[in-house]
Amino acid sequence: MNAQIDHYTKVMGLTLIDRDNDAAYLSTGADHHTVVLRQGSTARCDALGFQLPPGASLSDYAKQIEGHGIRTKRLSDSQPSIGEALVFDDSKGTRVETFVSTTPANAGFQRAGIAPNKLGHVAFNVTDIEATVGFYCGVLGFKVSDWMGDFFAFLRCGPDHHTINLVSGTAGKMHHIAFELRDWTHIRDACDLLARDRVPLVWGPVRHGIGHNISTYHRNADGQIIELFCELDRVNEELEIYDPRPTHQEFPQKGKIWEDIGMAANMWGTPPPEGFLD
């Protein structure tokens, strides 16, 4: 776990807020923690955390979730800064931890390392993409932003184009975790920093057609893929369109099924390396 902590603090520029015998809690800035690292036998995503709207009732939310036949559990002080949480498993077996209020650490942004704005999204390989999309939309209230063919879904729970990505695979696992950077120059500087630390890019820079974000991909100390991105589309929910940008192919740009897979993956043309989506 020490190698992971080093990567997330010295390279990624997160702040180590707290640590105990079981876990390390790291923050991108305001939140007490954005990433939790735990010692394990294999590299995997153990849980996802979602904050509910201010004033929401965990008791009412438990009834809503249990109405879908899903077992929930109420926890107190399960993590630093989170007094009460409601936890349950999603359809692919990942633990979902929901909470209403948290005590911020207000650590601020680091002056060393990449120092991202925030955790942007998490992507998973899933064996039954329709069932998983159905869970996140039907149970948790996410919306589908775009599909790449019939094998890659992009889901949102706020104005950002996607918060959860789901891609069909032969086994269920986390595919990558993505952090938002300020702009293209921040991406450039991050690539220079990764180069100084001898961390090669797996893919990128690219301009995705879906979401239109500029992105790079590298691996952390455990071999997990980390995406760094900027310029992700924002959704105008009232008009059901994406805020207009020069990189868009259509005006207005709306959610759709992208059949041109090459354009959807990278407008600049370079395809992902073999096995990247596996």
Side-chain angles (χ1 to χ4, degrees):
M1 189 164 72
N2 289 333
Q4 280 284 61
I5 292 174
D6 281 349
H7 184 84
Y8 277 101
T9 54
K10 297 176 183 179
V11 178
M12 289 299 300
L14 275 63
T15 301
L16 179 63
I17 298 294
D18 198 359
R19 184 174 183 179
D20 55 34
N21 291 333
D22 300 318
Y25 301 86
L26 301 109
S27 175
T28 55
D31 291 338
H32 181 277
H33 56 272
T34 308
V35 173
V36 180
L37 300 175
R38 300 185 188 277
Q39 189 71 45
S41 58
T42 59
R44 66 189 182 93
C45 177
D46 183 61
L48 291 172
F50 295 106
Q51 186 168 13
L52 303 179
S57 165
L58 284 180
S59 297
D60 290 344
Y61 193 60
K63 293 177 182 177
Q64 176 184 328
I65 299 299
E66 290 167 0
H68 294 275
I70 299 167
R71 296 179 61 183
T72 69
K73 185 177 182 180
R74 193 80 169 260
L75 298 179
S76 297
D77 300 320
S78 60
Q79 293 184 29
S81 84
I82 299 177
E84 298 289 332
L86 183 75
V87 303
F88 50 91
D89 289 343
D90 69 10
S91 59
K92 55 184 171 53
T94 302
R95 178 182 170 110
V96 176
E97 303 174 346
T98 60
F99 59 94
V100 177
S101 60
T102 179
T103 304
N106 296 321
F109 295 96
Q110 289 293 335
R111 303 208 177 261
I114 293 170
N117 290 346
K118 65 178 183 180
L119 172 62
H121 60 270
V122 183
F124 293 90
N125 288 105
V126 296
T127 56
D128 189 337
I129 193 166
E130 292 289 348
T132 312
V133 169
F135 177 90
Y136 273 87
C137 294
V139 177
L140 298 189
F142 280 66
K143 295 181 179 179
V144 175
S145 293
D146 282 292
W147 278 89
M148 184 187 295
D150 62 356
F151 64 91
F152 204 159
F154 296 75
L155 313 180
R156 69 183 187 274
C157 63
D160 287 349
H161 178 274
H162 50 274
T163 308
I164 294 290
N165 294 2
L166 303 168
V167 59
S168 293
T170 56
K173 63 177 182 177
M174 186 176 80
H175 183 271
H176 69 265
I177 181 172
F179 293 89
E180 181 188 71
L181 304 194
R182 294 184 299 276
D183 52 28
W184 168 238
T185 58
H186 196 181
I187 294 275
R188 177 204 64 196
D189 293 346
C191 291
D192 287 338
L193 188 150
L194 290 171
R196 288 197 299 271
D197 282 275
R198 300 294 193 269
V199 179
L201 296 183
V202 176
W203 187 31
V206 304
R207 165 81 77 180
H208 294 306
I210 294 182
H212 296 93
N213 44 306
I214 297 174
S215 296
T216 65
Y217 297 85
H218 70 274
R219 294 185 184 274
N220 65 19
D222 277 344
Q224 295 285 303
I225 297 175
I226 295 180
E227 177 187 359
L228 306 175
F229 72 91
C230 67
E231 300 186 12
L232 182 69
D233 279 341
R234 302 272 288 182
V235 182
N236 184 323
E237 294 288 0
E238 184 177 353
L239 299 178
E240 296 185 340
I241 65 171
Y242 304 150
D243 291 342
R245 294 182 178 179
T247 50
H248 287 174
Q249 291 76 38
E250 302 164 5
F251 297 93
Q253 186 81 51
K254 297 184 177 183
K256 65 178 183 178
I257 299 174
W258 290 65
E259 301 294 352
D260 186 337
I261 304 303
M263 177 65 73
N266 184 11
M267 294 169 57
W268 294 344
T270 307
E274 185 177 355
F276 180 77
L277 291 180
D278 295 344

